[in-house]
Amino acid sequence: MELHISAEHSNEDRTCVRNKLIAFNHAHFPKELSDRYEELNLFLKNADGETLGGVVGDICWNWLEIHYLILDEQIRGLGYGSKLLLEIEEIARQRSCDFIKLDTLSFQALDFYLKYGYEVYGTIHNAGGHTHYYLKKDLKN
């Protein structure tokens, strides 16, 4: 069998690789957690249906991972980020998640997450001249 490496940008290929990893992981988690994988997204929209921000994440077995949380600049500081974060935390609690994990860069929202009880568990310095922070918040306290 001859194989080659391809750098094509294909959603189908990306989904294939993602699903292969999910299937592999299923074999290594307890049976009661094996079906616990779902995308979880909340979007902030105006009256015209325009998306002004949101939070994109996944529930993976016993945790929620937040991949993106962003608001358009003109609505930052008005409390919408807090509302999105608190809402997704509540959904994670309802879905019996034990913790939430996320990452942020030093020019992004570290202080915001610290204010809501997230703790830094790892850092990478000189990530493009910035610090990359990895954070976690336990939900079972």
Side-chain angles (χ1 to χ4, degrees), residues 84-99:
L84 284 168
L85 185 62
L86 293 173
E87 179 69 21
I88 205 160
E89 286 181 4
E90 182 56 30
I91 293 169
R93 284 184 186 89
Q94 291 170 0
R95 302 268 205 313
S96 300
C97 292
D98 294 329
F99 62 94

Side-chain angles (χ1 to χ4, degrees), residues 105-132:
L105 291 160
S106 52
F107 63 90
Q108 292 176 329
L110 178 62
D111 290 338
F112 171 76
Y113 293 118
L114 294 174
K115 181 172 88 170
Y116 284 96
Y118 289 78
E119 297 178 357
V120 174
Y121 69 86
T123 58
I124 297 175
H125 299 286
N126 194 23
H130 302 281
T131 302
H132 197 150

Side-chain angles (χ1 to χ4, degrees), residues 11 28 30 41-42 51 76 81-83 94 108 120-121 129 132:
N11 284 335
H28 297 278
N41 308 304
L42 301 173
T51 302
R76 292 182 190 158
S82 298
K83 288 178 182 180
Q94 291 170 0
Q108 292 176 329
V120 174
Y121 69 86
H132 197 150

Side-chain angles (χ1 to χ4, degrees), residues 1 3 17 39 48-49 63 72 87 92 94-95 116 130 141:
M1 171 181 355
L3 303 175
V17 169
E39 290 184 23
D48 296 326
W63 73 86
D72 283 3
E87 179 69 21
Q94 291 170 0
R95 302 268 205 313
Y116 284 96
H130 302 281
N141 294 337

